[in-house]
Amino acid sequence: MYLSLCNEVLRDLPFAEQCRVAAALGYEGLELAPFTFDPETPHELPAAKRREIRQIAGDHGLSIVGLHWLLVAPRGLSVTTSDVELRRRTVDVLHNLVELCAELGGRVLVHGSPPARRVEDAESPDAARANLVECLASVGEAARKAGVVYCIEPLAPSETALVNTVSEAVAIVKEIDNPALRTMIDTSAAGRAESEPVDKVIRDWWPSGCLAHVQVNDRNRRAAGQGRTASGPSSGP
């Protein structure tokens, strides 16, 4: 298990300085938001830039754990849209990000990106879910071939109406049935979407093998302990 920092919290700093700060704080890895390296086409980062990122992180004793905030750029992409051509372009971008993750030495990609999974972009909620499943099946296969794990992230209802709880995500994971496609827990989102305490959700679901990653933060989106969310174990069973 690696304790890693999401690099966008330091995105105003040069990458080498991000790494220096993260290492000084005791982190072992970085989880990268691709748009922090290119705000337009991060999935097309040149090979030399990919090598540079990995080298700088390694020079600071850090591992690249994976990628998140996958569809911030390019703008306008969607995994739920009824526009077949737009879905195809979106899947192509995600395939490229899977390759990017593997080349950087990462092991996991976290698919949150609520603007790109709007139910309103399809004819109905059922159609939106079907389109999402189709996209995830394709990207999950790319992840399997690349030796990484692709996670659909449950998000709070305030962010999206599609896949809010771990159980909803697990249903999709089991439907696709690819070991390279799993889900994860963001403790902020889980704290706003789950009916059980977050620590219980993790304990209940981790043995299933469907979870591959955990992001720890307060419900206010700041670090654990920087808000009012209890960070210790609940008193329940």
Side-chain angles (χ1 to χ4, degrees):
M1 181 175 68
Y2 285 85
L3 180 64
S4 59
L5 179 68
C6 296
N7 84 306
E8 82 277 358
V9 302
L10 300 172
R11 62 182 177 272
D12 293 332
L13 300 176
F15 185 61
E17 183 65 6
Q18 294 178 28
C19 292
R20 186 197 68 78
V21 171
L25 290 172
Y27 289 98
E28 301 165 290
L30 287 175
E31 189 176 324
L32 304 181
F35 79 92
T36 62
F37 298 98
D38 184 331
E40 302 295 332
T41 55
H43 60 293
E44 295 178 349
L45 283 180
K49 183 64 175 178
R50 300 177 186 212
R51 290 193 296 270
E52 178 186 277
I53 292 168
R54 188 167 183 173
Q55 181 66 51
I56 291 173
D59 288 346
H60 288 82
L62 298 173
S63 298
I64 303 299
V65 173
L67 307 180
H68 68 292
W69 273 26
L70 303 180
L71 294 178
V72 173
R75 295 182 181 179
L77 298 175
S78 175
V79 291
T80 53
T81 179
S82 297
D83 183 333
V84 175
E85 176 58 23
L86 178 55
R87 283 208 315 277
R88 184 196 64 77
R89 293 202 306 272
T90 302
V91 168
D92 285 346
V93 168
L94 293 174
H95 279 212
N96 286 339
L97 290 175
V98 165
E99 178 185 279
L100 172 63
C101 181
E103 290 185 4
L104 292 175
R107 297 182 297 279
V108 62
L109 296 94
V110 175
H111 186 128
S113 304
R117 66 195 236 201
R118 287 166 24 99
V119 169
E120 297 84 353
D121 292 338
E123 296 94 340
S124 67
D126 285 345
R129 185 185 185 280
N131 293 339
L132 172 65
V133 170
E134 176 187 279
C135 291
L136 290 176
S138 176
V139 180
E141 182 58 20
R144 184 189 66 77
K145 292 178 180 178
V148 299
V149 173
Y150 196 91
C151 295
I152 179 65
E153 179 180 8
L155 294 173
S158 59
E159 297 178 283
T160 180
L162 186 59
V163 189
N164 302 126
T165 65
V166 173
S167 62
E168 291 170 343
V170 167
I172 290 175
V173 168
K174 290 184 176 181
E175 181 177 339
I176 294 173
D177 193 23
N178 177 344
L181 180 74
R182 289 191 261 173
T183 186
M184 51 80 64
I185 289 178
D186 174 283
T187 60
S188 173
R192 290 176 285 153
E194 300 285 351
S195 60
E196 298 282 359
V198 176
D199 63 293
K200 185 175 187 303
V201 175
I202 295 173
R203 290 199 309 269
D204 286 350
W205 282 107
W206 196 265
S208 72
C210 293
L211 299 180
H213 193 62
V214 177
Q215 292 176 336
V216 180
N217 51 112
D218 194 89
R219 289 178 64 173
N220 65 10
R221 304 300 293 168
R222 296 181 66 83
Q226 293 185 342
R228 297 182 178 181
T229 303
S231 298
S234 66
S235 59

